[in-house]
Amino acid sequence: MEKLIKKRPLLTTATLSENPLLNRIYQSRGIKTTKELEHNLQHLHRPQQLANIEQAVDLLTNAFDTQSRIVIVGDFDADGATSTALAIIALKQLGFEQVDYLIPDRFSQGYGLSVAVAEMVLAKGADLVLTVDNGISSFEGIELLKQHGIQVLVTDHHLPPETLPNADAMVNPNLPFCTFPSKSLAGVGVIFYVMMALRTRMREQQYFQNKIEPNFAELLDLVALGTVADVVPLDQNNRILVHQGLQRMRSGHCRLGIKALAEVSKRDLLTLQAADLGFAVAPRLNAAGRMENMSLGVELLICENMELARQLALELDSLNQTRKEFEQEMKTEALAICAKLPLLAQSEQAHGIVLYQADWHQGVIGILASRIKDQFNRPVIAFAQESEESEYLKGSARSISGVHMRDLLEYIDMQYPELIERFGGHAMAAGLTIHHSQLDNFKQVFDQTINEILEPEQLQGIIYTDGELATDELSITSAEILHRAGPWGQNFPEPSFEGEFSILQQKLLAGKHLKLILQSDSGQLLDAIYFNVDVRMFPDLSVKKVKMVYKLDINEFRDNKTLQLKVEYMDYL
C-alpha cells in the first residue's frame, strides 16, 4: 500500500535546545518548556496523587503486621511479568515473608482474575490478593474471593468499566475520580507507585529501625522494560521512568534476567535504547506468555543466579523463534484471506478487517493483527479458537489513528448486546471473546461501524516525518545527539526523516534484509539497511532513484562507528 508522507507540524515556538535539529524535533512533539525534558526522579508525580493509595497501603501494612499470605495475580504479557516480578521483589525487600504469585494461563484461563484463577488463589490459602496489570474488570473472580473472606487489592491501568468490582481497594490512574496527572502509567508503573507509598508509610511508622530501608530505584529497570513493552504513551512521567531504568541497565545495575535477555538479543547494555527494549528484549519475554506460560518470564526476572538466568533467557529465545515461525505462516494465510475481501483494494472505502482460521495460535493473533493493520492501515481483529472443545473465539484487536478500539467495542456491545461475550483494553489494542456462531454477524457490524466513524482519508496510510535533513545534519553527530535525547516511544516518536536518494548498490541479507549504498543529491555516500523488506518488490536492480523515510542509526563494527540509515519506508521514483 502506497503511503502518504507528511511532515510533522511545529506545535510550539519555544527555544528548547541549542541544537537547531533537536529544537525543531521537540517543537513538533508539543514540548513547551525545557522543564518538560527533565529526566530526574525529583520531577516524578507523587504517589499520594493516586486515588485510593492510602487504602491500598492500609491493606498492605495490615498484611505485614499479621504476616498474612499474599498472592500476586499478574498478566501474561511483558507488562504483567515485570509488574509481578517488581511486586515480589519489593514486598520481600520490605520484609513480607509469605509472598506467592499466579500468572493465568492464556489458553485455558484467559486474562485477569477470572473465577478459574480465583479458585487457584483459594487453593493457595491466600489472605490478600494483589492484582497487577489487571483486575479492573474482574467482577466474578473478585466476588468469589470476597465470599471466602479474602481481601483484594487491585492495581491496574486499563480503562475501567462504568461499574467497578467489589475490591477492598483499587489503584488505577484511569479511574474517573483519580486526579493523578499522568493517565499513561503502565501496570508496572502503578505497582511501582504503590510500593513507593508503602515504603513511605513503613518509614513513617518506623518499621525500618533494625534494618536497611530498600532502595526502590533498583526496580526502575523493570519499570522501564514493562512501560516500553506495553507501548503506553511516553509522557514526561513515563519518560523519566524509562530514562532512569535505561541508565541503570547501561551501568550494569539491572536484574540478571534483563542482562541475560540483552545478551541473547545481541544488544550491548552500554548503549541500550528504548527501541532495543521494545523490539528485541520485550518480544523474547513476551514469548513465554504467547507460547507457554509467563511464569517462565517472571522466574527469569526474579532470578539471582546468572547461569540460571542465561539458561532461562535461551529458553525464551527459542520460544520467540517458534513464535516467529507461527507468525510468518499465519501472516501468509491472513494475506490470502485479505486478497479475497472485495472492498479492501478501494482506499476510499472504509473497511475494518476481521480474520479467523481454526488452527491459528491464540498466542500470536495479537502480533498478526498488528502486522495486517500496518500493511493495510485498517482496524484489524484476528480471532482464534479459545480451545479445541470451546465454542468461543478469542480475538485480538489493533487499531489505527481515529478509532478508539475499546470504545468502539463498547459501542458495538451496547448496540448489539448478543454479539460480544466480554472485552477490554485500550485505544490502540484490545481483546474480546465472541461465540463462533456470531462471527459473520460480528464481521458485518464491525465493518459497518468502522464505515460510520472513519473518513476515507484516514484509511490512507500516513507516515509522519521530521522533514528533510540538510547535508551537515546527515551525520553520525546528529545520530548520537538524537540517541542521547530520548527515550523515544509511543506519542513521543523517535525522529524520522524523508529524502530522495540514488541507489548505487542493493543486495539481500539473510533472505529478508535489504542492504543499500545510497548517494544523496549533494553527492554524500551513505550506508542503509531496510529490515524485513517485501522481497516481492526488493531488491530491484532496475530502480535507480527512491524516496524514503528513515531514521539515523549508528553501526558499530570492530570498535568503528559509522552512520547508517535505517529505512522505514521506500518507494520508487
Coordinates of all heavy atoms in Angstrom, one line a residue, residues 29 42 58 62-63 121-122 124 126 150 187 244 262 268 279 311 401 407 411 419 444 468 472 507 564:
R29 N 6.9 17.9 18.8 CA 6.3 17.0 19.8 C 5.5 17.7 20.9 O 5.1 17.1 21.9 CB 7.3 16.0 20.3 CG 7.6 14.9 19.3 CD 9.1 14.5 19.3 NE 9.4 13.5 18.3 CZ 9.5 13.8 17.0 NH1 9.5 15.1 16.6 NH2 9.8 12.9 16.1
Q42 N 13.3 13.5 40.8 CA 12.5 14.5 41.6 C 11.4 15.2 40.8 O 10.5 15.8 41.4 CB 13.5 15.7 42.0 CG 14.0 16.5 40.9 CD 15.4 17.1 41.2 OE1 16.3 16.4 41.6 NE2 15.5 18.4 41.0
D58 N -2.9 0.8 53.6 CA -3.5 0.3 54.8 C -3.6 -1.3 54.7 O -3.3 -2.0 55.7 CB -4.9 0.8 55.0 CG -4.9 2.3 55.4 OD1 -3.9 2.8 55.9 OD2 -6.0 2.9 55.3
N62 N -1.4 -3.7 57.1 CA -2.1 -4.7 58.0 C -1.7 -6.1 57.7 O -1.5 -6.9 58.6 CB -3.6 -4.6 57.8 CG -4.2 -3.3 58.3 OD1 -3.5 -2.7 59.2 ND2 -5.3 -2.9 57.9
A63 N -1.4 -6.4 56.4 CA -1.0 -7.7 56.0 C 0.4 -8.0 56.5 O 0.8 -9.1 56.9 CB -1.0 -7.9 54.5
V121 N -6.3 -19.3 43.6 CA -5.9 -18.5 44.7 C -6.4 -19.1 46.0 O -5.7 -19.1 47.0 CB -6.4 -17.1 44.5 CG1 -6.3 -16.2 45.8 CG2 -5.7 -16.4 43.4
L122 N -7.6 -19.5 46.0 CA -8.2 -20.2 47.2 C -7.4 -21.4 47.6 O -7.1 -21.6 48.8 CB -9.7 -20.6 47.0 CG -10.7 -19.5 46.8 CD1 -12.0 -20.0 46.4 CD2 -10.8 -18.7 48.1
K124 N -4.3 -21.8 47.3 CA -3.0 -21.4 47.8 C -3.2 -20.9 49.2 O -2.2 -20.5 49.9 CB -2.4 -20.4 46.9 CG -1.7 -20.9 45.7 CD -1.1 -19.8 44.8 CE -0.3 -20.4 43.7 NZ 1.0 -21.0 44.0
A126 N -4.6 -18.0 50.3 CA -4.3 -16.5 50.3 C -5.2 -15.8 51.4 O -6.4 -16.1 51.6 CB -4.6 -15.9 49.0
I150 N -11.5 -13.3 51.6 CA -10.2 -12.9 51.2 C -10.2 -11.4 50.7 O -11.1 -11.0 50.0 CB -9.7 -13.8 50.1 CG1 -9.6 -15.2 50.6 CG2 -8.4 -13.3 49.5 CD1 -9.3 -16.2 49.5
G187 N 1.0 -0.9 33.8 CA 0.7 -1.7 35.0 C 1.9 -1.7 36.0 O 1.8 -1.5 37.2
Q244 N 15.5 6.6 33.5 CA 16.2 6.2 34.7 C 16.4 4.7 34.7 O 17.5 4.2 35.1 CB 15.4 6.5 36.0 CG 15.3 8.0 36.3 CD 16.6 8.6 36.7 OE1 17.5 7.9 37.3 NE2 16.8 9.9 36.4
A262 N 19.3 -9.3 27.2 CA 20.0 -8.4 26.3 C 21.1 -9.2 25.6 O 21.4 -9.0 24.4 CB 20.7 -7.2 27.1
D268 N 24.0 -4.6 23.3 CA 25.0 -4.1 24.2 C 24.3 -3.3 25.3 O 23.7 -2.2 25.0 CB 26.1 -3.3 23.5 CG 27.2 -2.9 24.4 OD1 27.2 -3.2 25.6 OD2 28.2 -2.3 23.8
F279 N 11.9 -3.8 20.7 CA 12.0 -4.7 19.5 C 12.8 -5.9 19.7 O 12.9 -6.8 18.9 CB 12.4 -3.9 18.3 CG 11.4 -2.8 17.9 CD1 11.7 -1.5 18.1 CD2 10.2 -3.1 17.3 CE1 10.8 -0.5 17.8 CE2 9.3 -2.2 17.0 CZ 9.6 -0.8 17.2
Q311 N 20.2 -19.6 31.1 CA 19.5 -20.8 30.6 C 18.0 -20.4 30.3 O 17.5 -20.8 29.3 CB 19.6 -21.8 31.7 CG 18.9 -23.1 31.4 CD 19.0 -24.1 32.6 OE1 20.0 -24.1 33.4 NE2 17.9 -24.8 32.8
S401 N -5.1 5.4 13.9 CA -5.4 6.7 14.4 C -6.9 7.0 14.0 O -7.3 6.9 12.9 CB -4.5 7.7 13.8 OG -4.8 9.0 14.2
D407 N -13.4 1.8 23.0 CA -14.7 2.5 22.9 C -15.6 1.9 21.8 O -16.8 1.9 21.9 CB -14.5 4.0 22.7 CG -13.9 4.6 24.0 OD1 -13.8 4.0 25.0 OD2 -13.6 5.9 23.9
Y411 N -19.3 0.4 22.2 CA -20.4 0.9 21.4 C -21.1 -0.3 20.7 O -22.4 -0.4 20.8 CB -19.9 1.9 20.4 CG -21.0 2.3 19.4 CD1 -21.9 3.3 19.7 CD2 -21.1 1.8 18.1 CE1 -22.9 3.7 18.9 CE2 -22.0 2.2 17.2 CZ -23.0 3.1 17.6 OH -23.9 3.5 16.7
L419 N -23.7 -9.9 20.6 CA -22.5 -10.2 19.8 C -21.3 -10.6 20.6 O -20.6 -11.5 20.3 CB -22.2 -9.0 18.9 CG -22.9 -8.9 17.6 CD1 -22.4 -7.8 16.8 CD2 -22.9 -10.2 16.8
Q444 N -19.9 -8.1 10.0 CA -20.7 -7.2 9.3 C -20.9 -5.9 10.2 O -20.7 -4.8 9.7 CB -22.1 -7.8 9.0 CG -23.0 -6.9 8.2 CD -24.3 -7.6 7.9 OE1 -24.5 -8.8 8.1 NE2 -25.3 -6.8 7.5
E468 N 13.1 16.9 5.9 CA 14.4 16.5 5.2 C 15.6 17.0 6.1 O 15.4 18.0 6.8 CB 14.5 17.1 3.8 CG 13.4 16.5 2.9 CD 13.7 16.9 1.4 OE1 14.8 17.1 1.1 OE2 12.7 17.0 0.7
D472 N 24.8 18.9 6.4 CA 25.6 18.8 7.6 C 24.8 18.1 8.7 O 25.4 17.7 9.7 CB 26.0 20.2 8.0 CG 24.8 21.1 8.4 OD1 23.7 20.9 7.8 OD2 24.9 22.0 9.2
K507 N 21.5 -5.3 -2.1 CA 21.6 -6.7 -2.1 C 20.8 -7.2 -0.8 O 20.7 -6.5 0.1 CB 23.1 -7.2 -2.0 CG 23.8 -6.8 -0.7 CD 25.2 -7.3 -0.7 CE 26.0 -6.9 0.5 NZ 27.4 -7.5 0.5
Q564 N 24.5 5.0 9.7 CA 23.7 4.1 8.9 C 22.3 4.6 8.9 O 21.8 4.9 9.9 CB 23.8 2.6 9.4 CG 22.9 1.6 8.7 CD 23.1 0.2 9.2 OE1 23.8 -0.6 8.6 NE2 22.6 -0.1 10.3

